[in-house]
Amino acid sequence: MIRKIIKIDEEKCNGCGLCAEACHEGAIGMVNGKAKLLREDYCDGLGDCLPACPAGAISFEEREAPAYDEAAVLAAKAAKQAAPLPCGCPGTQSKAIRRPSAPASAHSGPAQSELSQWPVQLKLVPVNAPYFAGAHLLIAADCTAYAYGNFHGRFIKNRITLIGCPKLDEGDYTDKLTAILRENDIQSLTIVRMEVPCCGGIEHAAKTALQRSGKFIPWQVFTVTTDGRILGED
């Protein structure tokens, strides 16, 4: 039958494995470091994998393909329920991090990390990660955590953290952020950038994504100076 199905451009694929993680049907797998459509009859043609791909390697096409076999998909899920997801780099595996509350007396000990999820790199995080539900979202330029000494306590605590560098990362963040904001119940948005001009890219992407999402979410922007201050708080 002729139907809509995904197409993977192997030359563009960077082997991150996020599409395989996003494919709930198990149609995509990693072969020799590249994403492959392993089972055409497992692909429902809805494209949950498209926004997860940071390299733009996945698109739709209409061609001859076997019909989507939901029964086979459900059977395969049941058989592999306990098996690890066939992703690329283990560092891309999405997970929430639970931390015990620090006792009130523990002021003189080492500072505790406030990070509550993994991964944090904007290009790697899945669009529909469960920790986005009801999240207060932090979008930060990666240098800010090094420049501002109390970054964990001031910004990461009680937020889901996404980082990136608009100058060094390939492509734009706007589409990925739009999908995250549109498809999840995000409660607020905090943007932290450096004062350098090139860092404006991450602020622009976040604001544009918020507009495109069609949602009204409280947001604020903080700018960190290269000597570790917050502009406007001198």
Side-chain angles (χ1 to χ4, degrees):
M1 63 180 295
I2 302 295
R3 70 179 184 94
K4 185 169 70 172
I5 196 168
I6 66 159
K7 178 181 180 181
I8 301 174
D9 187 331
E10 291 188 21
E11 292 186 1
K12 290 183 179 180
C13 177
N14 64 10
C16 69
L18 290 177
C19 57
E21 187 173 344
C23 180
H24 304 298
E25 289 72 31
I28 302 174
M30 304 303 297
V31 179
N32 296 325
K34 295 287 185 177
K36 299 278 189 181
L37 179 57
L38 300 179
R39 291 285 301 261
E40 293 183 349
D41 58 333
Y42 283 16
C43 178
D44 60 8
L46 297 179
D48 287 344
C49 53
L50 267 72
C53 178
I58 304 177
S59 59
F60 282 122
E61 64 177 347
E62 287 196 9
R63 61 174 175 82
E64 182 72 31
Y68 171 58
D69 191 341
E70 184 178 11
V73 169
L74 293 175
K77 284 183 178 180
K80 297 180 180 180
Q81 190 171 10
L85 189 66
C87 291
C89 173
T92 67
Q93 298 275 356
S94 176
K95 64 178 180 180
I97 301 171
R98 308 295 180 195
R99 301 186 187 280
S101 299
S105 59
H107 296 301
S108 59
Q112 175 177 285
S113 171
E114 300 290 350
L115 190 66
S116 61
Q117 102 288 343
W118 186 265
V120 296
Q121 222 291 336
L122 218 162
K123 296 285 187 178
L124 299 180
V125 67
V127 169
N128 299 113
Y131 45 70
F132 282 134
H136 295 275
L137 188 62
L138 169 65
I139 300 172
D142 50 13
C143 292
T144 56
Y146 293 93
Y148 187 68
N150 190 31
F151 195 83
H152 275 247
R154 176 72 181 276
F155 295 114
I156 293 182
K157 187 175 182 179
N158 299 324
R159 293 187 176 99
I160 294 299
T161 303
L162 302 179
I163 66 167
C165 177
K167 185 172 183 178
L168 299 181
D169 288 346
E170 293 184 6
D172 185 17
Y173 305 121
T174 306
D175 290 343
K176 183 75 171 285
L177 288 174
T178 300
I180 290 172
L181 293 171
R182 180 182 292 152
E183 299 180 25
N184 298 282
D185 180 28
I186 303 298
Q187 298 297 301
S188 68
L189 176 61
T190 301
I191 306 161
V192 185
R193 54 163 293 185
M194 295 298 297
E195 64 177 333
V196 294
C198 60
C199 213
I202 201 163
E203 178 181 350
H204 176 74
K207 289 180 177 179
T208 302
L210 185 55
Q211 292 173 345
R212 291 182 181 178
S213 73
K215 294 186 176 181
F216 297 95
I217 300 172
W219 62 274
Q220 56 185 335
V221 179
F222 294 89
T223 301
V224 179
T225 65
T226 53
D227 60 356
R229 296 174 291 111
I230 303 290
L231 283 181
E233 296 186 357
D234 299 326

